[in-house]
Amino acid sequence: MVGGGQLARMTHEAGIPLGIRFKLLSASPQESAAQVVRDVVVGDHRDLDTLRRFAQGCDVITFDHEHVPTEHLRALEAEGVPVRPGPDALVHAQDKGVMRAALDRIGIASPRHRIVTDPADVTRFAAEGATGGDGYPVVLKTVRGGYDGKGVWVVRDEAGAAEPFRAGVPVLAEEKVDFARELAASVVRSPHGQAVAYPVVESVQVDGVCDTVIAPAPDLSGERAAEAQRMALTIARELGVTGHLAVELFETRDGRLLVNELAMRPHNSGHWTQDGAVTSQFANHLRAVLDLPLGAPGARAPWTVMVNVLGGDYPDMYSAYLHCMARDPQLKIHMYGKDVKPGRKVGHVTTYGDDLSEVLDRARHAAGYLRGTITE
Amino acid sequence: MVGGGQLARMTHEAGIPLGIRFKLLSASPQESAAQVVRDVVVGDHRDLDTLRRFAQGCDVITFDHEHVPTEHLRALEAEGVPVRPGPDALVHAQDKGVMRAALDRIGIASPRHRIVTDPADVTRFAAEGATGGDGYPVVLKTVRGGYDGKGVWVVRDEAGAAEPFRAGVPVLAEEKVDFARELAASVVRSPHGQAVAYPVVESVQVDGVCDTVIAPAPDLSGERAAEAQRMALTIARELGVTGHLAVELFETRDGRLLVNELAMRPHNSGHWTQDGAVTSQFANHLRAVLDLPLGAPGARAPWTVMVNVLGGDYPDMYSAYLHCMARDPQLKIHMYGKDVKPGRKVGHVTTYGDDLSEVLDRARHAAGYLRGTITE
């Protein structure tokens, strides 16, 4: 797996019972995954020779992020290295312009969008969708490199639209969707075409970062859930995805589902599956990229909640960690081995049970206590 | 953790979400756990200097087997290394003579037993318990070094009693208990005295090796289950155990519970907890030895079954592995990364659900198919 973050760490964890010999390409020996994996190559994932050296002895290469240059993946594939997901699929998770064009082509609904060239063009894009007023606010995104709210701007006028263009990379404009909430539909697909769909979850973002995931999404009709799963299965099939695909969706106030983002790797919206599903997203991602039969994606409890643990003002989380374990012996804590910095994702907690409000309270209390925003 | 076998492999797996930096002392770099751990010291656990070198930088030392000499553990402890379980507790899992004497002292029932000196003494031991005939068969055990049926003999007469004495180590004689079945009661205890008790399980042995574990033990009354848990909690407290303690029990046909063996580490009878309990035995062993609050030990499903996968006549298990995954998407497979040799434990499977006979059938089919004894 290329990338030494927490997704690789948890993928290795899931690979141990599968008997998989896991090899890691990590930017440093201290990264989250590098702390727990036997076979670590330290190097730069943007360097083709490093990737070539890493690939020696691997049956298949997969990723914990989208930042390996597409042309390097094509070069590896041309040299006979199995790359999963392959570059033709992965480019849709790397480049938001390519992704939007593909979704248009296969008939999957997105927010209104187009590539814009300068601030004046943003004003024209806004006006094209205006139902009164100037059509602002507009969402601007750099087509490559953004994550967790980085590379995304909500702009309210033409003057505010200047910043995204400063990096000199293409910019995508999108309507600011009046959504009721955000959902995520995840599927896993094998090279031989087997696919499984996880229950559709509700994802609550705070400041552009995933905060809480509720599985399954409350008050979602069976029809709407099936529609979201069908969208994700269609995207996986039409784009030729291998492995885990997370489709982030807006549920609009007028009842439509629009695709926000795609991720072709284990995803924060799927962390609940570690404790809440028969087969975790990490295990199924590995089973898919190795072309093993997939595991059942069903939920093990009526409700499972995942809340991210962000770093707070206290670098030493140890006493809070003890408190949370002692307070709730059913709590599942997942730490990433990262130094605590304010706002950094350093772990997550999951809870499960029959009563959603109780399950949600326990997870939010633990995550807040670990961060230091709750002290009793 | 000292010892590179599958117990260390699965303990590391359980330590990843806890954020634990796991260090391993392994006899070779190819052992089961050494394949998946970052920080491996290769060396001999019988060598004190190796143990000293390994202990540098460890907050606490624990074990995947009982084979570290007690005097080395005492030396490490005297030098300030936290050893958990400590040598005063662990000796009861290392030396069956010491164990029997301690159980007698604290009033926990064992099979009738005493240390014997030669075959004639075995005949005297047999006669002491005879209720008709000569009192044979008798069970003989070397007091140290046995596991999985090794170091244990069932002898039917004085001539047959000669072999166990050949090694020149003390031999323990025990009555051959007419048991209805074998049970296991596991508890986990912290240095500060917190303890949790897992549901009591039934363990089915084949040729002296654990084959199947059913959790909870079917048709076990609440009173009998509580008695078994109390016995295990008493042993843990009175012997000062830290970490996981498995108490193997005989349930006799006349309704008594007698202690067969003790293990002070994660144990085969507890593998079902990985998929079947809120907190696995591996996670709770780590939480205990690090003096973290313990996790809830309760079952997640009405029935969980674990069946060991032994190596069969086919060294390449891959196609059977594919078949089992495809046939039962809910099956949980745990492979140890070991080369397949006939009769060797190379993994286990677990299944869970509401209907015991269906859950048992699925697990036995998968384990048999992986071994090659079932081919359809």
Side-chain angles (χ1 to χ4, degrees):
Chain A
M1 186 171 254
V2 175
Q6 66 263 27
L7 300 176
R9 179 184 177 100
M10 295 186 276
T11 304
H12 172 54
E13 178 193 343
I16 293 173
L18 292 169
I20 291 167
R21 303 230 179 174
F22 192 88
K23 186 172 171 182
L24 185 74
L25 178 61
S26 178
S28 92
Q30 281 77 44
E31 283 196 64
S32 178
Q35 295 168 19
V36 299
V37 170
R38 154 79 173 269
D39 194 359
V40 179
V41 174
V42 173
D44 186 341
H45 57 264
R46 295 163 302 186
D47 178 67
L48 181 55
D49 282 335
T50 299
L51 290 165
R52 281 192 179 115
R53 185 163 48 89
F54 173 68
Q56 284 168 16
C58 288
D59 294 310
V60 55
I61 289 187
T62 188
F63 311 94
D64 126 307
H65 58 63
E66 293 87 12
H67 308 317
V68 179
T70 314
E71 63 272 21
H72 290 359
L73 300 178
R74 291 198 204 285
L76 290 172
E77 205 169 51
E79 291 162 18
V81 176
V83 174
R84 293 176 186 164
D88 292 339
L90 193 63
V91 67
H92 300 92
Q94 297 179 308
D95 187 308
K96 297 181 206 300
V98 173
M99 181 264 283
R100 287 287 177 230
L103 295 183
D104 291 347
R105 192 174 65 244
I106 66 177
I108 298 285
S110 292
R112 189 175 69 84
H113 60 90
R114 77 170 163 78
I115 298 289
V116 285
T117 53
D118 55 37
D121 196 24
V122 176
T123 295
R124 283 191 294 276
F125 172 81
E128 287 159 17
T131 54
D134 59 6
Y136 277 102
V138 164
V139 179
L140 297 181
K141 301 174 173 177
T142 54
V143 296
R144 280 190 175 250
Y147 68 99
D148 278 355
K150 295 178 184 68
V152 178
W153 295 260
V154 179
V155 300
R156 312 211 164 266
D157 53 37
E158 194 169 311
E163 193 189 334
F165 293 95
R166 286 195 185 118
V169 296
V171 174
L172 180 72
E174 295 183 355
E175 68 172 309
K176 186 165 188 314
V177 175
D178 179 34
F179 59 82
R181 59 175 171 175
E182 294 185 70
L183 303 173
S186 287
V187 298
V188 183
R189 184 172 175 275
S190 296
H192 72 279
Q194 188 191 6
V196 294
Y198 281 100
V200 177
V201 301
E202 178 173 339
S203 159
V204 181
Q205 318 282 318
V206 174
D207 299 332
V209 179
C210 176
D211 179 81
T212 302
V213 170
I214 304 170
D219 302 319
L220 186 71
S221 70
E223 292 74 16
R224 188 73 57 85
E227 181 190 345
Q229 290 179 317
R230 266 198 308 273
M231 288 170 79
L233 288 166
T234 300
I235 293 168
R237 185 185 67 235
E238 293 299 320
L239 305 189
V241 177
T242 300
H244 187 265
L245 168 72
V247 180
E248 295 184 60
L249 295 160
F250 295 127
E251 185 180 28
T252 66
R253 296 191 193 279
D254 58 358
R256 293 169 299 137
L257 295 175
L258 304 176
V259 173
N260 180 19
E261 303 281 357
L262 304 182
M264 293 181 194
R265 50 166 170 76
H267 188 252
N268 204 161
S269 66
H271 290 358
W272 72 275
T273 60
Q274 292 176 303
D275 301 303
V278 174
T279 313
S280 80
Q281 64 165 348
F282 301 101
N284 260 339
H285 182 77
L286 283 172
R287 286 165 76 148
V289 302
L290 290 162
D291 210 9
L292 298 166
L294 301 178
R300 288 197 67 175
W303 297 105
T304 303
V305 168
M306 190 276 335
V307 180
N308 279 326
V309 176
L310 302 187
D313 295 330
Y314 309 100
D316 184 359
M317 209 176 255
Y318 187 70
S319 65
Y321 183 69
L322 291 184
H323 173 88
C324 291
M325 284 188 174
R327 183 180 195 267
D328 184 355
Q330 314 234 2
L331 181 72
K332 307 307 287 184
I333 304 184
H334 299 261
M335 300 304 292
Y336 305 157
K338 292 181 169 182
D339 290 336
V340 173
K341 293 179 189 169
R344 185 185 207 188
K345 284 184 193 171
V346 295
H348 66 270
V349 295
T350 64
T351 52
Y352 50 81
D354 297 333
D355 178 340
L356 176 57
S357 78
E358 182 253 342
V359 170
L360 200 48
D361 282 351
R362 285 167 50 216
R364 286 189 165 150
H365 187 280
Y369 201 96
L370 287 165
R371 187 175 187 174
T373 53
I374 296 173
T375 54
E376 45 69 54
Chain B
M1 185 171 254
V2 175
Q6 65 264 27
L7 300 176
R9 180 184 175 99
M10 294 186 279
T11 304
H12 172 54
E13 178 193 342
I16 293 174
L18 292 169
I20 291 167
R21 303 229 179 175
F22 193 87
K23 186 172 171 181
L24 186 74
L25 178 62
S26 178
S28 91
Q30 282 76 45
E31 283 197 62
S32 179
Q35 295 168 18
V36 298
V37 171
R38 153 81 173 269
D39 193 1
V40 180
V41 173
V42 173
D44 186 340
H45 58 263
R46 295 164 302 186
D47 179 66
L48 181 54
D49 283 335
T50 299
L51 290 166
R52 282 193 178 114
R53 186 163 44 91
F54 172 68
Q56 284 169 14
C58 288
D59 294 312
V60 54
I61 289 187
T62 189
F63 311 94
D64 127 305
H65 58 62
E66 293 87 13
H67 308 318
V68 179
T70 314
E71 63 272 21
H72 290 359
L73 299 179
R74 291 197 203 284
L76 289 173
E77 207 170 47
E79 292 162 18
V81 176
V83 174
R84 294 177 184 162
D88 291 341
L90 193 63
V91 68
H92 300 93
Q94 296 180 308
D95 186 308
K96 297 182 207 299
V98 173
M99 181 263 285
R100 287 288 177 229
L103 295 183
D104 290 349
R105 193 173 64 243
I106 65 176
I108 297 285
S110 291
R112 190 176 68 84
H113 61 90
R114 75 171 164 79
I115 298 288
V116 286
T117 54
D118 54 38
D121 196 23
V122 177
T123 295
R124 284 191 294 277
F125 171 82
E128 288 158 17
T131 54
D134 59 7
Y136 277 102
V138 164
V139 179
L140 297 180
K141 300 174 172 177
T142 53
V143 296
R144 281 192 174 248
Y147 68 97
D148 278 355
K150 296 177 184 70
V152 177
W153 296 260
V154 178
V155 301
R156 311 207 166 267
D157 52 34
E158 194 169 309
E163 193 188 335
F165 294 94
R166 283 189 190 124
V169 296
V171 174
L172 180 72
E174 295 182 353
E175 68 172 310
K176 186 166 188 314
V177 175
D178 179 34
F179 59 82
R181 60 175 170 174
E182 294 185 69
L183 302 174
S186 287
V187 297
V188 182
R189 186 173 173 275
S190 297
H192 72 278
Q194 188 192 7
V196 294
Y198 281 99
V200 177
V201 302
E202 178 173 340
S203 158
V204 182
Q205 317 282 318
V206 175
D207 299 332
V209 178
C210 176
D211 180 82
T212 301
V213 170
I214 304 170
D219 301 318
L220 186 70
S221 71
E223 291 74 16
R224 190 71 58 86
E227 181 190 346
Q229 290 180 317
R230 266 196 310 272
M231 289 170 79
L233 288 166
T234 300
I235 294 168
R237 186 186 66 235
E238 293 298 320
L239 305 188
V241 177
T242 300
H244 188 263
L245 167 72
V247 180
E248 295 184 60
L249 295 160
F250 296 127
E251 184 179 30
T252 66
R253 295 192 195 281
D254 57 0
R256 291 169 300 137
L257 295 175
L258 304 175
V259 173
N260 180 20
E261 303 280 359
L262 304 182
M264 294 182 193
R265 51 167 170 76
H267 188 253
N268 204 161
S269 66
H271 290 357
W272 71 275
T273 60
Q274 292 176 303
D275 301 304
V278 174
T279 313
S280 80
Q281 65 165 348
F282 301 100
N284 260 340
H285 182 75
L286 284 172
R287 287 164 76 148
V289 302
L290 291 162
D291 209 8
L292 298 167
L294 301 178
R300 290 199 65 175
W303 297 105
T304 303
V305 168
M306 189 277 335
V307 181
N308 279 327
V309 176
L310 302 186
D313 295 332
Y314 309 100
D316 184 359
M317 208 175 255
Y318 187 70
S319 65
Y321 184 68
L322 291 184
H323 173 89
C324 290
M325 284 188 175
R327 184 180 195 267
D328 184 355
Q330 314 234 2
L331 181 72
K332 306 308 288 183
I333 304 184
H334 298 261
M335 301 303 291
Y336 305 156
K338 292 181 169 182
D339 290 337
V340 173
K341 292 178 189 169
R344 184 186 209 189
K345 284 183 193 171
V346 295
H348 65 271
V349 295
T350 64
T351 52
Y352 51 81
D354 299 333
D355 178 341
L356 176 57
S357 78
E358 181 253 341
V359 170
L360 201 47
D361 282 351
R362 285 167 49 216
R364 286 189 165 148
H365 186 280
Y369 201 98
L370 287 164
R371 186 176 188 173
T373 53
I374 295 172
T375 53
E376 46 67 55

